[in-house]
């Protein structure tokens, strides 16, 4: 009995160290300069699934802001950067997670952005590896520029899609509440 308690305690201790240790390979820059726009990191957090750090998510804005609804609705340069930390993040997993996130963000009303969702899904037709990073850079009158490792993969137009995409991380029903809080600088 004492041996079982010791093993359980040890397992929780190791998971605690794992969760509190700094992420390796996720050095998101303090600023992103893109097409004449400079945006600054507002906040960064870690997406955790089953005690595993899977990616770092960073939010970039022109000026610091902690109001999620305002950010979602703003028509101003901004970005979300995802730094892949784990091999469990595959192309199929990204497609699935982003699709589910868009469904949650829109209250299951994805019909108006169905074509844009297909464009986003097409970005993940190539392998995703630990160390890859994706930048989803929104520019007014242009749309979301989707970059993989600094290379433009896709341009997805439309303010409705922009709101839904940023809502994946910042809506009232985000992909992970702790990640939302961290991205908002909290």
């Amino acid at each position: 009995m004492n041996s079982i308690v010791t093993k359980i305690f040890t397992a929780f201790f190791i998971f605690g160290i794992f969760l509190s240790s700094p992420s390796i390979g996720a050095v998101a820059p303090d600023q992103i300069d893109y097409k004449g726009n400079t945006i600054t990191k507002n906040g960064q957090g870690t997406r955790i699934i089953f005690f595993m750090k899977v990616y770092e998510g960073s939010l970039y804005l022109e000026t610091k802001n902690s109001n999620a609804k305002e950010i979602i609705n703003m028509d101003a340069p901004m970005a979300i950067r995802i730094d892949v930390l784990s091999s469990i993040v595959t192309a199929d997993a990204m497609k699935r997670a982003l699709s589910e996130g868009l469904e949650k963000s829109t209250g299951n009303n994805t019909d108006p952005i169905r074509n844009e969702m297909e464009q986003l899904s097409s970005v993940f037709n190539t392998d995703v590896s630990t160390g890859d990073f994706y930048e989803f850079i929104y520019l007014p009158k242009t749309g979301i520029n989707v970059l993989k490792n600094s290379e433009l993969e896709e341009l997805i137009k439309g303010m409705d899609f922009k709101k839904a995409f940023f809502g994946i991380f910042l809506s009232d029903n985000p992909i992970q509440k702790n990640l939302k809080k961290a991205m908002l600088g909290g």
Side-chain angles (χ1 to χ4, degrees):
M1 179 75 156
N2 192 20
S3 174
I4 293 173
V5 172
T6 302
K7 287 179 183 177
I8 291 172
F9 176 77
T10 302
F12 279 109
F13 180 74
I14 290 170
F15 279 133
I17 289 172
F18 176 72
L19 290 177
S20 65
S21 65
S23 299
I24 297 172
V27 182
D30 290 333
Q31 290 186 325
I32 293 176
D33 294 307
Y34 188 72
K35 294 191 176 184
N37 296 277
T38 300
I39 47 181
T40 304
K41 192 187 308 178
N42 192 71
Q44 178 177 338
T46 306
R47 173 81 165 114
I48 298 171
I49 300 175
F50 300 119
F51 301 105
M52 292 184 62
K53 295 178 179 184
V54 292
Y55 66 78
E56 289 285 322
S58 304
L59 173 65
Y60 293 82
L61 303 170
E62 288 184 304
T63 57
K64 294 272 186 185
N65 192 331
S66 61
N67 185 322
K69 287 183 182 178
E70 189 176 297
I71 294 166
I72 289 170
N73 290 304
M74 282 176 23
D75 190 18
M78 64 182 70
I80 289 179
R81 177 177 160 128
I82 295 175
D83 287 273
V84 179
L85 302 175
S86 171
S87 61
I88 70 166
V89 179
T90 64
D92 286 340
M94 286 291 282
K95 286 180 186 181
R96 220 175 14 262
L98 291 172
S99 179
E100 289 171 6
L102 286 165
E103 287 174 18
K104 287 173 65 175
S105 172
T106 62
N108 293 320
N109 184 22
T110 57
D111 285 342
I113 59 166
R114 181 67 49 203
N115 291 336
E116 292 84 352
M117 288 177 67
E118 288 176 16
Q119 279 184 273
L120 180 63
S121 182
S122 73
V123 170
F124 300 99
N125 286 336
T126 60
D127 289 339
V128 176
S129 301
T130 301
D132 284 344
F133 64 93
Y134 292 86
E135 294 167 312
F136 303 88
I137 303 171
Y138 174 75
L139 299 177
K141 299 179 183 166
T142 303
I144 294 180
N145 297 265
V146 183
L147 289 79
K148 178 182 180 182
N149 301 327
S150 300
E151 296 294 324
L152 182 64
E153 297 285 325
E154 188 68 66
L155 172 61
I156 306 173
K157 296 181 179 183
M159 186 64 169
D160 288 341
F161 180 75
K162 179 266 182 189
K163 289 179 182 181
F165 183 83
F166 279 76
I168 292 171
F169 304 91
L170 303 175
S171 71
D172 290 337
N173 193 10
I175 196 164
Q176 183 175 308
K177 289 181 181 178
N178 290 346
L179 179 58
K180 172 184 175 177
K181 183 178 177 183
M183 291 173 92
L184 293 172

